[in-house]
Amino acid sequence: IAYLLAQPSLTVDGTELPRGRMIVMGGDQVYPTASGQQYEDRTKGPYEAALPRPPHPEPTMYALPGNHDWYDGLTAFLRLFARAGSEIGGWRIKQTRSYFAIRLPHRYWLFAVDAQLDAYVDDPQLRYFHEVAKDVEPGDRIILCLPNPTWVEADQDPHAYDTADYFVRTVITPTGATV
């Protein structure tokens, strides 16, 4: 995957697509357990080998932790992904925490919420998203990125969607945006 993402372009169904300007990695950057060495071997190494130097324009990389990233309390994840200005090969890191919001073109937003092993969304994270939401306008569209498919899991577990539902009700709905 890293090799394909690093190519200047890819041809898909006869259409040439340029390299993306941004990569969003969702959940479990390493498996089965998180450690500094696992991130070096399974994440950083392949991406640096695939794109060792930044092309122009420099693409960015964001990551949302999954349950396996939490196995060491996020220590290794944060060391790699929460240092704005650092890099993984030719990709630049712009996030400073395990969650992030990105304003996209055409009135879209990406809200990547760290669900913390399905426990809850903590107060610092809620404050961060409430602050970002001040710039969201009625009619904007929000892509809600969670580390697991809670909408699918809710079919078997009626509480699986509780964290996402709470986030939508308290952060997004008051803005007038849609998910």
Side-chain angles (χ1 to χ4, degrees):
I1 296 298
Y3 172 79
L4 293 172
L5 293 171
Q7 298 307 301
S9 66
L10 292 175
T11 301
V12 178
D13 292 334
T15 302
E16 187 174 354
L17 303 172
R19 176 181 26 252
R21 292 182 287 169
M22 177 175 66
I23 295 174
V24 177
M25 300 170 71
D28 294 343
Q29 277 49 251
V30 295
Y31 185 89
T33 57
S35 72
Q37 192 61 53
Q38 289 293 312
Y39 280 99
E40 286 290 325
D41 295 344
R42 296 177 181 257
T43 305
K44 191 173 182 180
Y47 282 90
E48 285 184 342
L51 189 66
R53 289 177 304 287
H56 183 75
E58 295 180 349
T60 55
M61 179 183 285
Y62 295 88
L64 182 64
N67 63 320
H68 291 268
D69 297 300
W70 269 96
Y71 284 3
D72 73 341
L74 277 193
T75 301
F77 176 92
L78 293 173
R79 189 177 307 127
L80 186 60
F81 291 109
R83 292 182 172 167
S86 64
E87 57 191 44
I88 297 176
W91 285 277
R92 297 294 170 243
I93 306 299
K94 291 191 176 179
Q95 72 189 81
T96 58
R97 48 186 59 91
S98 63
Y99 47 90
F100 51 90
I102 304 168
R103 182 182 285 198
L104 302 169
H106 309 292
R107 299 185 62 194
Y108 276 91
W109 293 80
L110 175 67
F111 280 18
V113 179
D114 180 359
Q116 302 177 11
L117 300 171
D118 291 329
Y120 60 92
V121 179
D122 63 13
D123 287 341
Q125 189 173 178
L126 285 172
R127 282 193 298 274
Y128 169 83
F129 281 108
H130 278 294
E131 189 62 32
V132 169
K134 291 177 182 178
D135 292 331
V136 175
E137 298 178 7
D140 285 359
R141 293 157 298 220
I142 305 215
I143 301 165
L144 186 58
C145 184
L146 301 165
N148 55 345
T150 57
W151 56 93
V152 174
E153 295 167 352
D155 186 46
Q156 300 297 317
D157 176 6
H159 298 290
Y161 196 71
D162 288 354
T163 298
D165 179 60
Y166 177 80
F167 185 86
V168 169
R169 283 186 292 109
T170 61
V171 176
I172 298 173
T173 299
T175 69
T178 58
V179 177

